[in-house]
Amino acid sequence: MTTAFTGTRASRRSRHGRPYHNAVPFLAQLAIWAGGAGVLVLWWIDTTSVVGPAGWLTGAGRITGLLAGYACAVLLALMARVPLLDHTVGTDRLARWHAWGGRCTVSLALAHTLLIIWGYSLTSHANVVGQTATLVLHYPDLLKGTAGFLLFLATGVLSARAARRRLSYETWHYLHFATYLAVFLTFGHQLSNGADFVGNRAAQAAWYALFLGVAALLAWYRFAVPLRRGLRHRLRVTAIHPETPGVVSVHLTGEHLDELGGLPGQFLRWRFLTPGLRWSANPYSLSAPAHPNHLRITVRAAGGHSAALARLAPGTRVWAEGPYGGFTAHRRTAPKVLLLAGGVGITPLRTLFETLPGQVTLVYRARRPEDLALRGELDAIAAHRRTTVHYVVDEPTAYSSPLTAQGLTTLVPDLAAHDVYLCGPPGMTQAAIQALREAGVPARRIHHESFAF
């Protein structure tokens, strides 16, 4: 199941990744850690001394509370879909930062609650239960803060891997909106009870500026921009085309689509305005380069939303949010590129296969020959580019190839000299990354998109 085309390659060389695409992830992390350091400085300046167990516990509670509040703003900013971050850091990496930060935030909030109660109970010589009741019922805004804390805990539990597997993407997505309410409920408690803010106008102004700035980013990029684009582009479905068993292509048309600026490798969040789908905005990659009058996505039936797309009627209105993601030519750093696809992960790589200049090799893995979506298009692109496509299937075994360092280097002998763009199911992605590293490909040259948001 290997199709190979050889001959002269395109003479144009790609412009390697723009410098700021490599610098922004580092600068973003630096800014986050610098902000955390600034929060610690706020506590240090406002703390003259720490005496006895009660003082140490209360001080630790103040620090964890400040960091938890700051982390809430950071978490919201990471998911605000700011183009500068999204197109350079990448949506999937931002989602991983957000998930890790979410666990830290819940831990900090829990530590803050326990430490403050314990420290205050030692100071007032009261039992823990009585001190908790006093804090919740008699301190300003603390009843609302407690409700927000419980919402944070619930969101953290539902985001745990074991619980996440039992929820649909749509359910998990909408439950996450509870974090907005949680932040709103806890914000007032921080300013009215936090010893570092009471009477400190500069600290209060900085905290307001941080949260209002994040709120403005969310309002603009999560709500205003999608609304404006939905009204302007007037997307609608024109046709549904079956590709392989369980996989369909959705063809769309609209107005002013050249203004979307979608790059090969990026995706959009699609909201189909039909019963059962209008409240969900799911991410699907463009499976063909964006055209001023035409877009296409190719989707495998993996859940209720994706399966329903096969039944869409022509003329169905669509709102598209995006484009998103940094899985583009800007990440390229080497003259040679390997595109490694698994299953429906071929969709973003198909656009890169057509548009990336220079020496490009495609390896497409699937379970069976009939599962190789878009194969006719891939063969035509390979013939036009005079390059190579390797189709690898598990069945029949005569055409299989292990996803190991040796298996990959058999297909691509100078693998270590390549940039690798990787997209496929999570298990395949993890195995491929391990095999690529064993084959000598540096981690900085392995670019992958997970869509595990």
Side-chain angles (χ1 to χ4, degrees), residues 26 259 287 351 410 431 446:
F26 169 75
E259 297 176 5
S287 61
T351 60
T410 298
I446 302 174

Side-chain angles (χ1 to χ4, degrees), residues 285-291 294-297 347 350-351 354 377:
S285 293
L286 295 172
S287 61
H291 185 274
H294 177 261
L295 299 175
R296 188 187 72 181
I297 58 175
T347 52
R350 180 253 180 263
T351 60
E354 180 176 347
E377 296 180 20

Side-chain angles (χ1 to χ4, degrees), residues 15 47 63 85 100 117 135 145 151 161 164 205 238 246 291-292 313 319 334 343 345 349 365 395-396 405 430:
R15 183 175 55 176
T47 303
I63 290 173
L85 290 177
W100 181 83
I117 292 173
L135 288 171
L151 278 176
R161 188 170 299 178
R164 175 70 180 88
T238 56
H291 185 274
W319 282 22
L349 297 184
R365 305 180 64 91
E395 304 170 4
Q430 293 172 7

Side-chain angles (χ1 to χ4, degrees), residues 67 70 216 255 267 284 312 341 352 416:
L67 290 174
Y70 169 71
E255 302 174 5
F267 68 94
Y284 301 116
L312 286 173
L352 290 169

Side-chain angles (χ1 to χ4, degrees), residues 63-74:
I63 290 173
T64 52
L66 286 169
L67 290 174
Y70 169 71
C72 287
V74 172

Side-chain angles (χ1 to χ4, degrees), residues 231-415:
L231 296 173
R232 178 161 179 77
H233 297 306
R234 303 183 63 84
L235 279 165
R236 59 188 181 277
V237 174
T238 56
I240 305 294
H241 181 262
E243 300 289 352
T244 62
V247 176
V248 299
S249 286
V250 181
H251 296 259
L252 308 105
T253 189
E255 302 174 5
H256 314 290
L257 298 186
D258 53 314
E259 297 176 5
L260 278 174
L263 298 175
Q266 290 188 312
F267 68 94
L268 295 93
R269 286 180 166 88
W270 304 87
R271 189 184 303 274
F272 296 90
L273 305 185
T274 189
L277 298 178
R278 68 176 68 250
W279 299 111
S280 302
N282 286 31
Y284 301 116
S285 293
L286 295 172
S287 61
H291 185 274
N293 300 311
H294 177 261
L295 299 175
R296 188 187 72 181
I297 58 175
T298 300
V299 181
R300 177 174 64 88
H305 186 279
S306 53
L309 301 191
R311 302 187 295 272
L312 286 173
T316 299
R317 289 289 306 276
V318 185
W319 282 22
E321 304 173 22
Y324 298 120
F327 195 61
T328 66
H330 294 311
R331 288 190 177 181
R332 181 177 183 172
T333 61
K336 299 178 181 180
V337 173
L338 168 64
L339 306 176
L340 181 54
V344 79
I346 189 62
T347 52
L349 297 184
R350 180 253 180 263
T351 60
L352 290 169
F353 188 45
E354 180 176 347
T355 59
L356 274 176
Q359 181 177 337
V360 181
T361 301
L362 173 63
V363 175
Y364 183 10
R365 305 180 64 91
R367 183 178 178 184
R368 302 167 300 175
E370 55 266 33
D371 295 327
L372 294 166
L374 308 174
R375 184 177 178 183
E377 296 180 20
L378 298 174
D379 289 340
I381 294 169
H384 177 74
R385 295 182 61 108
R386 299 182 181 274
T387 189
T388 304
V389 180
H390 298 286
Y391 297 106
V392 180
V393 295
D394 297 330
E395 304 170 4
T397 56
Y399 300 107
S400 65
S401 176
L403 190 52
T404 61
Q406 182 177 352
L408 289 173
T409 52
T410 298
L411 297 174
V412 188
D414 57 343
L415 179 58

Side-chain angles (χ1 to χ4, degrees), residues 52-108:
W56 283 104
L57 289 169
T58 303
R62 286 169 54 196
I63 290 173
T64 52
L66 286 169
L67 290 174
Y70 169 71
C72 287
V74 172
L75 291 180
L76 294 177
L78 290 176
M79 291 291 101
R81 300 176 188 168
V82 179
L84 176 62
L85 290 177
D86 191 89
H87 296 172
T88 53
V89 179
T91 308
D92 57 337
R93 195 194 305 184
L94 287 172
R96 290 195 297 271
W97 290 3
H98 177 83
W100 181 83
R103 291 189 288 270
C104 291
T105 303
V106 172
S107 299
L108 287 168

